[in-house]
Amino acid sequence: MKPLLPLLVALFLLTGVTHGQDSLFQSKIANIPSKWKDESVVILEYKYNYTYKVSMYSFPTKDERVKIVYYIKDKWGVEEFSRLSLPTHLDDENAWNTTIGTVYKSNGTTYPITRDMLISQRKRIDFSGLRRRSLELNSDENSKLAVPSLDVGDILEIDYASASSDPPGIVYLVNEYPMLHFETTIQVDQYGGTNQLVIKPHFKNFPDVSSSSPQKFSIVLDTVEKYREEILSDNFRRIPYVLMRYDIDRSYPDPRDYSNMSFSSNGPNEELQLFMAREVYLKDHSSESTYAKRILSSLKIKYPKLNDTLAYVKDAYYLYRELIASENLFAGNLYRNSRHFACTMSRVLFQKKIRHQIFLSQPDFFGMPDRYRDFLDREYGIYIPGHDLYLFDPLMVYEAGAVPSYYEGHQHVKFSANKYYKRYRYFWYLWLIPQLGIATSPLTLPPYIVQAVRANKYRKFDLQQGSFPSLPSPSNKIDYEITVKEMNPADHTITFDQQAAYLGKHKSQISERVIRLSRNLLKENNPYRKMLAAQAIPMSNKKETEEELQRIDKRLKDLMKAELSSDGFSVKEVRDYSVTQSNLFDIAQPFTHRFSFTARNLVWSFNDYMVINAGAIIGEQLSIPESESERRKDFYIPYQQQFSYTINIPLPDGYEPANLNEFNTSAETEAGLFTTTAKQEGRKVVIRTFKAYKFRAYDSEKAEDVYQFIREADSFYYKKLILRKKS
Amino acid sequence: MSTGVSNAGSALPEYFLIPRKLLSMKFYRSFLIGALAASASMNVLAQKLPNADHKLISSKFPDEVFFSAEEKVTYNFSMASKGKSTHFQITENFTSRQFTIDDEYTRIGSIIYDDYSDIASLKYAINGITQTVFPVIHTNYESEGIFHDDLRLCGYKIDMTKGKNYQVSYSKTYSNPRMFSRIYFHEGYPINKKTVTIEVPDWVELEIMQMNFDGFNCTRTEKEVLVNSKKVKKIIFEMEALNSSENESHSPSHARRLPHLLVFVKGYKLQKKTEKYFGSQDDIYQWCRALTDSVTTDTAQIAPIFREIVKNEKDSFRIMEKVFYWVQDHVRYIAFEDGIMGYKPMTADKVCNQLYGDCKGMANLTKQMLKLGGIDARLTWIGTTDIPYDNNLPTLAVYNHMICTAFLGGKRYYLDATEDYIGIDDYAERIQGRPIMIENGPTYINDKIPYLGYERNKLDNTIEIAINGNKLTGKSTITVDGEQKTTFLQGFSHLQTENQQLAIRQYLRANNKTLKIGAFTTSDLNERVKPLSISYDYEQSNSVYRPEGTKDLLILPEKDFEFEELEFDSTRKNDYEFNYRYYINTSSTLRIPDGFKIKDLPAPVAIKNDNYEIVMKYEAAAGQIKMTRSISMKNTLLKKEKFEQWNKDLSLLKKFYNSPLILTAQ
């Protein structure tokens, strides 16, 4: 036997790479719950470790280690992982090991996944992120590897380490595949004691965990369901994740050079961020006066005395809006517009001794309750306490007092600028540190500044928390009145006259779209243009030529056609579009427009009957996908809203309605409602429908409340009105 | 009109979405043409156009906001030096004078190049003043799911404002004249005037063939000039009012619809240096053959797998079947256009080991495995239906695909293993009727793939319908074959397991939301040869109406509405190309409820022309109404001039679909 042992050892060594799916994997596979039997891929193990090290004498290092073990269960999974995509640049030999992972075949063999399998290295061109004219463009890297010889039943282990990745920012606790086991560890190994890792777990139905120390966070989860798309939901609000950010380090941003800012760079902690944001504001405030002077001057005649503060504030707001619109102030400039707005308005209000505050907030685009990006992502605005009026940058909204949907109900911070607007003494400290290359770790200067401000009795640290209002559904509504102008059963078309009145967010959306196509709308009946013109400020008063007007008219009709098409109409033609009331300067009044359109496949006559697809006139309704038999995520929509329709269908000579009762339906729950009524009024049929979403967020456990009225509206869409010829 | 919280903006016309659209890869693909067609020399263009010209030009293209006022591309031929050696080179000089009528417009331009071409001197000027800062990026080009290893994209951005003239220019050099085969005129934007000039020195042998020039006003002039005391023939093509080449859905390929030049660079003779490129099909074959012959397969590596596939099978036809289906099932298609690898197959053993490859690799593996089985199998070059050229043209543009031809029992079998779920002696629509070049040692064989009848794609649908309260309930069986079957099976096999049942329901529902699909059964979803069949129950709402004050019952039994939405309006610019030819037969029976009789039935429809045949009728039978329907689309291409007739015929079709059957109580 003796001679055999070395041979066996040698054989083992030689075939060391062919141990295949070892017992560890087999036991994991055996533990896959039966409810995942139809999954294409199951993650047996997901490990993510991130370590951040700060040294006094060297640059910070960021070590990232990712290990994911995929179990491929069907042909789709084979296809998916045969073209493995990694969101990084594998060409950098210094940053990547040659071996990125291993394939464990079901037949017992293994082979490595290496950088040699790299097929495509692609940059996604993203010119939109370009902040300054440069040959260097922002781009995402994407590496694609062709993984050979995969088959159903194989296990693919991705295991790589990177020494120079960006901070992760967000670590998601769900995946597009279900995970049998998930664990992550994030830690900061730091020099000194002031830098701090801030970790915020946000999730529902997950254990309530917190970091074990300010420098370390870890979480372990088992049997994690995969992420799934569902209607009426907001991914970032409903996907559990861990948010992390760093305290300030030596590469913290220069607050003055905005163009150099990278949104993925490390930002200071929240309090320091707010403080820096205020310093930047105050710095700008001290220098920005040109536009304020113009506004003050333009309002002199109308307001010899300030007897209506609210009217003055709104006029000042609209004048500012007119200034930037007519002079194209920010064309091609991606600086923080809202800061300019807030500085200018504050100067105007300060001069008129109108009490106000500056608010700072971050848009809720991603539904994140906390932000991880830097302070320059914050938007500035003006709050008038006496009138509870929020004034947002007019590039975001069109009306004084309108709150963008992505700010509704969202938290903000206010500070007063009245007394201390000229003092921004700490700005230069903040600016000097990176300029001089001073390492912050031993000095911890920025935190010191915050502490100094806190201790300074003459400079009140007056940052106050608050939240923007959230509006009920009647505030965001569309009222449609649609009248059948002509029915042509021979070619199955109906021509309609449509009027629609938009309020709230719907008004903002439609007016923005229309204004984008026709700047004329902003010029017509605009008192603020005249006020500015009276001050001899050069204005562009060029009128559209006939050709331009025709082009605009066509675009507006195309816009309506596109909207109708997205609602399921087969549109033949849109005619006579006109904006009847723009009300761009009055938040309480609607934007209204009217037009005619002809749509196909709506009416049929046969024998004594005429069949009208009357339900379809309200447009295609949201339907519940078959895949959503079991709701998982909570519901979320950007804002509450409602829609009403009044549909007038004149009866053709000799015809009477024969099934009006089918058009009287109702479904009402705590979440919303859809009701319809139909009756004959003289020689016409009038159908009225009303749909309201009475929630912004709604619990998934009460899904039927939402589904009920959604289903009713969806079903209504397919109803046909039968007209019968009187004998 | 907004009715919910759905994203109504998603269907906006293209110019509402310009920035997003310009960033999409599809956009760049359309610029592949641009890269090959580019034009001009900066100094010959006027520095500034008056705005009146902007107005005049823009009025010719009413739906556009970005234009080229004039575009010039000049191609010349030279010997370029590299170190001590010289090589033949083609240089393309492109200049385009552009403007926008929007107040602000972001122009994202792109140029495609590869291992055999390069971009130089890319610059732009505003009103004649060259700009020093110009955002440009070079990156790999990638099409949907297909890897192009050597294609590169040069992207640039220009922020434009109304009233100014912008001039973009660059030079592109081609180092391999064999890869230089086509010049297009159109771009992804409208061009007021385009001039393509080819300067052919007398030492270069070159021919040009004009393709798709009918219907386009293009002038060709030739003149001889002396350049450095050498004769140069200038061939100048001028074309005006070129619409954007942007694809509409279901449009024929660019090569089939856009005017372009096929350029045959046959060779050159300069002093003592002579070189031959492609002068005949034989040259093409010899070049392709040299590449395929240089690929040596280690058959020892594929032999064990071959034996595992065929086991003890002795019958050659069965061996061919087994190998062909194994390659289809196990080798994933991943395309490579890696320079010469765009024409040279990967070795069969490598494809076999890594289980992926492009068409050439899959054809080569099929060939090598069949040879192991004693079958005469050969590589075969083919241009799919996107390619309009005949085999005998001396250009690589003729071929964009490779298959394997097996010679067995006196018959040729054309095996395209990239086509999943296709049976032996069955051919996908995209290769049917196409000319092919089969390897044959020092010579080659010209042949054609059989053109199968539209009946190949038969869909039979039998339905039994009953009235159940205010709904219809039905039992249906569909049987599909040909392209209908392979399309279904290919789509189905690439679905996640958890979505497969749902996908079948959606397929059966055919986007009709009033249908609720109940239980269903399918035939073997791995079967290639026999037709696929699915039997299912369904319930149809909003299909039975009982008008008040009458004894009548109105029934709307139609559920599939084939082609109902396919109506063409004046905005359609191109011919319409169906995915494949259709042959749909539906036979339904509706049981008349007790106590009711037929009051009226829709009139029959009978349409017959060269492109399609439609026959539909209802008939009364004992206690039943029988509906038979047959739709045959005999060609994939519906020409634009036939749209009006199609719309008229469609109206009859729609009336038949939507008219109720009227029963009345006895």
Side-chain angles (χ1 to χ4, degrees):
Chain A
M1 291 298 291
K2 255 188 176 180
L4 199 58
L5 187 61
L7 183 65
L8 282 174
V9 170
L11 263 177
F12 177 78
L13 290 173
L14 281 172
T15 57
V17 291
T18 62
H19 50 71
Q21 293 179 10
D22 59 20
S23 56
L24 178 67
F25 288 141
Q26 288 307 324
S27 66
K28 284 179 177 170
I29 290 169
N31 284 336
I32 294 174
S34 59
K35 62 182 174 181
W36 292 350
K37 67 179 169 48
D38 287 338
E39 295 292 345
S40 299
V41 175
V42 171
I43 293 175
L44 301 178
E45 186 179 305
Y46 193 124
K47 285 185 178 174
Y48 178 78
N49 295 316
Y50 187 83
T51 307
Y52 181 71
K53 291 177 185 169
V54 180
S55 160
M56 185 175 177
Y57 304 107
S58 64
F59 289 105
T61 60
K62 302 153 190 172
D63 295 326
E64 188 180 45
R65 178 81 188 262
V66 180
K67 183 183 175 187
I68 314 172
V69 182
Y70 298 98
Y71 175 46
I72 299 168
K73 294 185 69 203
D74 66 10
K75 196 174 174 183
W76 181 91
V78 171
E79 289 287 341
E80 197 69 3
F81 283 89
S82 295
R83 298 171 184 186
L84 191 63
S85 185
L86 295 177
T88 187
H89 201 287
L90 288 175
D91 267 357
D92 184 355
E93 292 183 8
N94 297 323
W96 296 97
N97 297 324
T98 305
T99 300
I100 296 150
T102 308
V103 173
Y104 297 86
K105 301 289 292 178
S106 54
N107 65 10
T109 58
T110 70
Y111 54 87
I113 301 168
T114 66
R115 279 199 289 117
D116 297 340
M117 295 169 186
L118 183 69
I119 294 296
S120 163
Q121 193 99 272
R122 192 167 67 86
K123 287 178 183 175
R124 185 177 66 80
I125 300 179
D126 181 9
F127 290 97
S128 61
L130 191 70
R131 294 193 189 84
R132 57 182 178 177
R133 292 180 172 221
S134 159
L135 294 174
E136 297 294 324
L137 298 181
N138 292 341
S139 62
D140 288 348
E141 305 282 1
N142 181 307
S143 299
K144 287 200 170 182
L145 300 105
V147 179
S149 308
L150 278 187
D151 218 334
V152 174
D154 289 351
I155 287 168
L156 188 141
E157 182 186 79
I158 301 294
D159 189 352
Y160 63 85
S162 166
S164 60
S165 66
D166 285 333
I170 288 178
V171 180
Y172 296 104
L173 305 182
V174 288
N175 197 280
E176 60 187 304
Y177 310 114
M179 297 188 287
L180 203 59
H181 179 78
F182 172 88
E183 61 181 86
T184 185
T185 303
I186 303 162
Q187 62 181 329
V188 171
D189 180 10
Q190 61 185 353
Y191 180 88
T194 52
N195 290 348
Q196 189 175 34
L197 176 70
V198 182
I199 296 169
K200 305 243 176 177
H202 303 284
F203 36 76
K204 185 185 173 186
N205 301 330
F206 274 77
D208 186 16
V209 292
S210 57
S211 50
S212 54
S213 76
Q215 283 78 44
K216 187 172 181 181
F217 169 85
S218 61
I219 185 170
V220 177
L221 299 167
D222 288 315
T223 320
V224 184
E225 295 289 347
K226 71 177 175 184
Y227 160 76
R228 196 173 71 175
E229 291 281 349
E230 287 178 321
I231 60 166
L232 303 176
S233 59
D234 180 313
N235 296 340
F236 279 86
R237 284 178 182 278
R238 302 303 157 209
I239 291 179
Y241 62 88
V242 173
L243 172 71
M244 58 177 291
R245 58 179 177 231
Y246 305 99
D247 199 344
I248 194 163
D249 67 26
R250 65 186 301 164
S251 62
Y252 88 98
D254 172 358
R256 196 182 64 165
D257 187 0
Y258 317 128
S259 59
N260 275 335
M261 290 301 298
S262 161
F263 289 146
S264 59
S265 71
N266 304 339
N269 69 28
E270 186 153 1
E271 192 175 50
L272 186 60
Q273 277 192 41
L274 290 169
F275 178 73
M276 288 171 77
R278 189 174 78 156
E279 287 296 305
V280 170
Y281 167 81
L282 294 174
K283 166 75 172 57
D284 280 4
H285 192 280
S286 67
S287 59
E288 179 51 58
S289 62
T290 315
Y291 283 75
K293 280 178 188 166
R294 290 184 186 179
I295 292 167
L296 286 162
S297 169
S298 300
L299 289 173
K300 256 183 192 170
I301 300 168
K302 188 174 177 183
Y303 295 96
K305 282 187 178 178
L306 185 61
N307 42 19
D308 186 344
T309 307
L310 190 58
Y312 188 92
V313 170
K314 287 182 178 177
D315 280 347
Y317 176 87
Y318 289 124
L319 277 169
Y320 177 83
R321 190 178 85 174
E322 193 54 36
L323 270 170
I324 60 168
S326 58
E327 297 196 352
N328 213 5
L329 182 63
F330 292 111
N333 189 333
L334 293 171
Y335 288 8
R336 302 279 82 195
N337 301 315
S338 67
R339 191 166 55 250
H340 183 273
F341 161 71
C343 290
T344 305
M345 280 299 289
S346 180
R347 275 197 164 268
V348 170
L349 301 178
F350 185 70
Q351 289 295 324
K352 302 303 287 185
K353 296 188 170 55
I354 297 172
R355 195 162 75 88
H356 66 281
Q357 290 176 300
I358 313 300
F359 68 73
L360 268 173
S361 189
Q362 286 176 313
D364 195 17
F365 291 126
F366 305 112
M368 289 187 229
D370 290 276
R371 327 255 26 112
Y372 71 98
R373 292 178 294 170
D374 61 67
F375 70 95
L376 286 175
D377 267 353
R378 293 176 190 275
E379 298 288 351
Y380 295 74
I382 298 286
Y383 177 62
I384 312 293
H387 300 277
D388 200 20
L389 183 75
Y390 289 92
L391 298 173
F392 278 82
D393 177 2
L395 289 177
M396 291 196 282
V397 289
Y398 280 99
E399 294 152 324
V403 178
S405 62
Y406 39 87
Y407 284 94
E408 264 197 25
H410 201 60
Q411 286 194 334
H412 63 259
V413 171
K414 298 189 194 91
F415 62 88
S416 57
N418 296 7
K419 197 171 174 183
Y420 300 107
Y421 78 94
K422 285 184 179 173
R423 301 184 183 178
Y424 58 93
R425 67 180 88 160
Y426 294 107
F427 177 88
W428 295 110
Y429 290 106
L430 295 168
W431 177 76
L432 270 173
I433 294 163
Q435 301 304 312
L436 300 176
I438 299 171
T440 59
S441 298
L443 300 173
T444 63
L445 194 52
Y448 163 76
I449 290 171
V450 175
Q451 287 161 20
V453 173
R454 280 191 174 287
N456 187 339
K457 62 182 178 180
Y458 298 110
R459 190 176 175 83
K460 200 173 155 190
F461 199 81
D462 63 344
L463 297 169
Q464 300 163 4
Q465 293 280 345
S467 58
F468 297 116
S470 194
L471 301 174
S473 66
S475 303
N476 301 308
K477 67 173 180 176
I478 311 177
D479 294 327
Y480 296 97
E481 177 150 5
I482 302 177
T483 301
V484 171
K485 204 167 142 188
E486 192 183 333
M487 276 197 285
N488 189 351
D491 71 355
H492 327 303
T493 59
I494 297 182
T495 299
F496 301 93
D497 267 343
Q498 175 173 312
Q499 296 181 62
Y502 301 74
L503 264 182
K505 303 296 182 297
H506 294 298
K507 180 184 174 186
S508 304
Q509 287 167 11
I510 189 74
S511 46
E512 186 187 339
R513 285 181 186 175
V514 171
I515 287 168
R516 206 191 314 162
L517 300 179
S518 170
R519 294 193 173 199
N520 219 28
L521 193 68
L522 263 180
K523 294 176 188 171
E524 285 171 356
N525 307 315
N526 185 340
Y528 302 102
R529 287 182 67 79
K530 290 172 191 163
M531 279 192 204
L532 288 172
Q535 296 303 313
I537 291 170
M539 302 286 290
S540 170
N541 284 315
K542 188 175 106 27
K543 294 225 170 188
E544 273 86 357
T545 62
E546 189 58 34
E547 288 78 15
E548 283 170 330
L549 288 172
Q550 278 177 15
R551 197 182 290 273
I552 288 164
D553 183 57
K554 184 179 180 309
R555 287 185 186 184
L556 289 167
K557 286 177 188 166
D558 283 351
L559 174 65
M560 292 306 119
K561 190 174 178 179
E563 300 235 332
L564 290 164
S565 298
S566 73
D567 275 347
F569 285 98
S570 174
V571 185
K572 194 173 178 183
E573 189 183 10
V574 174
R575 288 184 299 277
D576 306 325
Y577 178 84
S578 65
V579 174
T580 41
Q581 295 175 59
S582 59
N583 286 319
L584 298 177
F585 309 107
D586 190 347
I587 194 168
Q589 296 302 313
F591 174 98
T592 63
H593 65 187
R594 64 182 305 159
F595 57 92
S596 300
F597 71 96
T598 302
R600 306 179 187 95
N601 304 340
L602 287 172
V603 61
W604 321 89
S605 71
F606 181 61
N607 195 280
D608 289 340
Y609 292 97
M610 197 177 285
V611 179
I612 302 167
N613 290 353
I617 298 172
I618 68 167
E620 205 159 2
Q621 299 291 299
L622 183 68
S623 56
I624 303 158
E626 234 178 299
S627 56
E628 251 182 67
S629 53
E630 183 195 347
R631 181 77 187 191
R632 290 186 189 169
K633 280 186 278 187
D634 285 350
F635 294 89
Y636 177 84
I637 57 175
Y639 45 88
Q640 294 186 33
Q641 53 197 300
Q642 63 186 44
F643 308 89
S644 77
Y645 281 85
T646 303
I647 300 165
N648 303 300
I649 305 173
L651 291 166
D653 289 345
Y655 282 90
E656 295 295 331
N659 67 334
L660 275 188
N661 281 340
E662 293 184 31
F663 285 81
N664 290 303
T665 61
S666 178
E668 182 164 7
T669 68
E670 190 188 328
L673 75 155
F674 180 76
T675 59
T676 67
T677 60
K679 58 184 177 180
Q680 185 173 348
E681 294 179 5
R683 288 301 298 158
K684 68 176 181 181
V685 168
V686 180
I687 301 171
R688 292 186 173 85
T689 74
F690 181 73
K691 187 179 189 181
Y693 293 85
K694 296 192 291 185
F695 67 92
R696 212 175 158 211
Y698 209 76
D699 199 319
S700 59
E701 286 166 16
K702 296 194 287 179
E704 193 50 32
D705 282 0
V706 179
Y707 287 164
Q708 203 177 323
F709 77 92
I710 297 280
R711 207 178 286 127
E712 191 69 34
D714 186 28
S715 159
F716 181 86
Y717 175 79
Y718 299 97
K719 284 192 188 300
K720 297 174 193 299
L721 176 66
I722 310 291
L723 305 183
R724 185 171 64 89
K725 197 183 278 180
K726 269 186 177 174
S727 54
Chain B
M1 190 185 296
S2 178
T3 55
V5 290
S6 59
N7 180 11
S10 59
L12 290 173
E14 58 202 36
Y15 47 74
F16 298 109
L17 301 168
I18 282 165
R20 192 167 44 183
K21 182 171 154 299
L22 291 180
L23 290 169
S24 75
M25 291 310 292
K26 279 183 181 171
F27 169 81
Y28 290 121
R29 187 197 295 174
S30 74
F31 273 82
L32 275 168
I33 291 175
L36 298 169
S39 70
S41 101
M42 179 95 95
N43 52 6
V44 270
L45 293 175
Q47 294 299 303
K48 191 173 180 181
L49 265 183
N51 284 353
D53 282 351
H54 288 192
K55 194 173 150 185
L56 184 70
I57 292 165
S58 61
S59 67
K60 294 180 189 173
F61 309 98
D63 292 335
E64 306 281 358
V65 296
F66 169 80
F67 311 86
S68 173
E70 189 174 10
E71 208 156 276
K72 294 192 173 187
V73 196
T74 303
Y75 296 90
N76 52 52
F77 304 83
S78 60
M79 296 303 292
S81 301
K82 193 174 184 182
K84 288 180 180 175
S85 66
T86 58
H87 68 275
F88 186 67
Q89 178 177 281
I90 303 165
T91 305
E92 168 188 311
N93 291 308
F94 172 95
T95 303
S96 178
R97 191 174 58 203
Q98 303 169 342
F99 69 94
T100 181
I101 55 166
D102 264 3
D103 290 345
E104 294 163 17
Y105 181 84
T106 299
R107 161 87 181 132
I108 307 289
S110 60
I111 312 158
I112 300 286
Y113 61 103
D114 56 26
D115 282 353
Y116 296 107
S117 57
D118 206 359
I119 307 290
S121 318
L122 173 60
K123 56 188 173 185
Y124 89 103
I126 302 175
N127 289 342
I129 301 165
T130 301
Q131 303 300 299
T132 51
V133 181
F134 188 19
V136 175
I137 192 167
H138 291 258
T139 182
N140 279 24
Y141 171 83
E142 187 191 334
S143 178
E144 290 164 6
I146 295 173
F147 298 120
H148 295 264
D149 210 29
D150 74 329
L151 277 193
R152 304 261 309 153
L153 182 140
C154 168
Y156 59 90
K157 176 196 175 206
I158 304 174
D159 290 320
M160 303 177 76
T161 52
K162 192 175 174 177
K164 291 181 181 171
N165 287 298
Y166 296 81
Q167 292 152 338
V168 175
S169 64
Y170 64 82
S171 287
K172 183 175 176 182
T173 51
Y174 299 85
S175 57
N176 187 342
R178 290 187 176 91
M179 306 295 177
F180 179 79
S181 56
R182 279 186 284 204
I183 299 172
Y184 280 88
F185 292 82
H186 286 71
E187 298 278 359
Y189 46 83
I191 303 167
N192 182 50
K193 186 181 178 187
K194 179 126 183 181
T195 306
V196 172
T197 305
I198 303 167
E199 298 177 353
V200 191
D202 59 359
W203 49 273
V204 172
E205 190 183 357
L206 179 141
E207 275 185 35
I208 293 167
M209 180 185 268
Q210 296 174 194
M211 296 294 298
N212 302 338
F213 272 48
D214 288 350
F216 293 90
N217 186 18
C218 184
T219 59
R220 172 178 173 154
T221 52
E222 290 184 22
K223 58 183 174 186
E224 225 167 60
V225 294
L226 285 177
V227 177
N228 295 333
S229 63
K230 284 183 179 163
K231 283 183 185 173
V232 171
K233 184 162 76 175
K234 277 193 173 183
I235 309 168
I236 302 160
F237 295 88
E238 288 180 312
M239 201 180 281
E240 292 194 359
L242 290 85
N243 285 313
S244 159
S245 67
E246 198 168 340
N247 272 336
E248 290 174 306
S249 67
H250 290 270
S251 290
S253 66
H254 285 163
R256 283 172 53 204
R257 67 183 165 85
L258 291 179
H260 60 279
L261 304 172
L262 278 176
V263 183
F264 311 119
V265 185
K266 296 186 171 181
Y268 69 88
K269 185 177 182 182
L270 186 62
Q271 292 158 356
K272 289 181 181 176
K273 193 166 183 182
T274 302
E275 200 159 352
K276 290 284 179 194
Y277 301 120
F278 296 141
S280 65
Q281 186 187 358
D282 190 56
D283 290 344
I284 296 279
Y285 175 70
Q286 298 307 337
W287 187 81
C288 290
R289 185 183 165 225
L291 288 176
T292 54
D293 283 356
S294 68
V295 177
T296 51
T297 293
D298 183 357
T299 49
Q301 283 201 46
I302 59 172
I305 296 162
F306 169 76
R307 282 195 293 275
E308 199 178 310
I309 295 165
V310 302
K311 297 197 166 62
N312 297 320
E313 186 61 60
K314 302 289 182 212
D315 179 72
S316 293
F317 186 85
R318 290 284 301 139
I319 289 171
M320 179 171 67
E321 264 189 334
K322 285 188 171 185
V323 167
F324 184 42
Y325 297 161
W326 186 89
V327 178
Q328 279 183 37
D329 289 345
H330 291 83
V331 180
R332 286 179 298 284
Y333 176 74
I334 299 179
F336 295 93
E337 300 294 340
D338 182 8
I340 208 71
M341 289 307 286
Y343 301 91
K344 183 179 177 181
M346 202 181 276
T347 63
D349 48 282
K350 191 170 181 186
V351 175
C352 192
N353 284 332
Q354 63 191 16
L355 291 181
Y356 66 76
D358 63 3
C359 62
K360 300 177 294 296
M362 291 168 85
N364 194 29
L365 176 60
T366 309
K367 171 189 164 177
Q368 299 299 342
M369 280 194 167
L370 291 182
K371 280 173 71 179
L372 286 174
I375 298 169
D376 179 4
R378 308 182 191 186
L379 295 179
T380 302
W381 293 264
I382 180 173
T384 60
T385 47
D386 281 346
I387 304 288
Y389 317 125
D390 284 335
N391 257 9
N392 57 2
L393 297 177
T395 169
L396 289 172
V398 170
Y399 305 112
N400 65 346
H401 191 37
M402 183 183 272
I403 60 173
C404 170
T405 302
F407 292 67
L408 189 65
K411 186 175 173 177
R412 291 174 190 164
Y413 295 90
Y414 311 100
L415 307 175
D416 181 357
T418 65
E419 195 72 33
D420 287 353
Y421 291 99
I422 203 151
I424 291 275
D425 213 15
D426 188 15
Y427 304 109
E429 193 88 44
R430 69 190 179 115
I431 63 167
Q432 280 184 37
R434 295 300 303 151
I436 53 176
M437 180 171 76
I438 306 170
E439 64 173 332
N440 189 33
T443 60
Y444 55 91
I445 301 168
N446 275 339
D447 194 1
K448 266 190 179 180
I449 304 285
Y451 188 67
L452 306 173
Y454 63 86
E455 297 88 349
R456 167 185 176 255
N457 304 328
K458 189 175 182 182
L459 185 155
D460 273 335
N461 192 357
T462 57
I463 313 169
E464 288 175 19
I465 308 167
I467 298 164
N468 193 350
N470 286 329
K471 292 175 179 172
L472 294 176
T473 54
K475 286 181 181 298
S476 174
T477 299
I478 61 163
T479 307
V480 296
D481 209 350
E483 212 83 2
Q484 294 257 15
K485 178 187 70 178
T486 52
T487 304
F488 177 93
L489 292 176
Q490 286 164 7
F492 182 82
S493 70
H494 287 91
L495 289 172
Q496 290 182 268
T497 306
E498 66 169 353
N499 294 332
Q500 288 178 339
Q501 299 295 305
L502 193 64
I504 290 178
R505 285 180 203 282
Q506 284 175 347
Y507 171 79
L508 297 171
R509 210 167 69 165
N511 208 28
N512 181 349
K513 289 185 182 173
T514 66
L515 274 192
K516 191 175 171 186
I517 305 297
F520 65 86
T521 56
T522 68
S523 58
D524 180 2
L525 295 175
N526 292 311
E527 170 63 50
R528 289 174 171 80
V529 180
K530 292 178 190 165
L532 161 76
S533 72
I534 308 174
S535 299
Y536 63 101
D537 297 336
Y538 70 87
E539 191 179 271
Q540 188 176 4
S541 57
N542 288 302
S543 52
V544 179
Y545 290 88
R546 299 167 197 276
E548 293 154 12
T550 72
K551 293 179 178 178
D552 291 350
L553 196 60
L554 271 56
I555 299 153
L556 292 156
E558 182 55 48
K559 66 180 181 61
D560 294 324
F561 300 96
E562 284 111 351
F563 301 106
E564 189 188 53
E565 297 294 328
L566 190 63
E567 188 168 335
F568 301 105
D569 59 24
S570 57
T571 60
R572 175 89 193 179
K573 291 172 185 160
N574 297 314
D575 297 340
Y576 187 90
E577 189 164 49
F578 294 95
N579 291 335
Y580 45 84
R581 291 164 291 160
Y582 290 87
Y583 184 42
I584 302 167
N585 289 309
T586 304
S587 170
S588 311
T589 55
L590 171 76
R591 197 170 60 78
I592 299 171
D594 292 343
F596 280 84
K597 62 177 182 180
I598 297 169
K599 184 176 176 182
D600 203 355
L601 297 175
V605 173
I607 301 162
K608 187 175 181 181
N609 59 39
D610 291 344
N611 288 300
Y612 48 87
E613 276 183 46
I614 300 171
V615 178
M616 298 178 164
K617 63 181 176 184
Y618 285 105
E619 290 172 302
Q624 289 182 334
I625 298 170
K626 284 191 170 180
M627 190 274 281
T628 51
R629 203 172 70 195
S630 175
I631 302 175
S632 317
M633 302 298 305
K634 294 185 283 189
N635 301 309
T636 51
L637 192 69
L638 190 64
K639 302 285 282 182
K640 205 178 165 189
E641 55 264 29
K642 302 286 183 189
F643 286 176
E644 192 179 343
Q645 184 59 46
W646 168 265
N647 285 345
K648 279 181 190 167
D649 294 337
L650 183 67
S651 183
L652 297 174
L653 197 76
K654 287 199 272 192
K655 186 168 174 61
F656 188 86
Y657 286 154
N658 290 283
S659 295
L661 319 184
I662 305 176
L663 306 182
T664 193
Q666 288 174 330

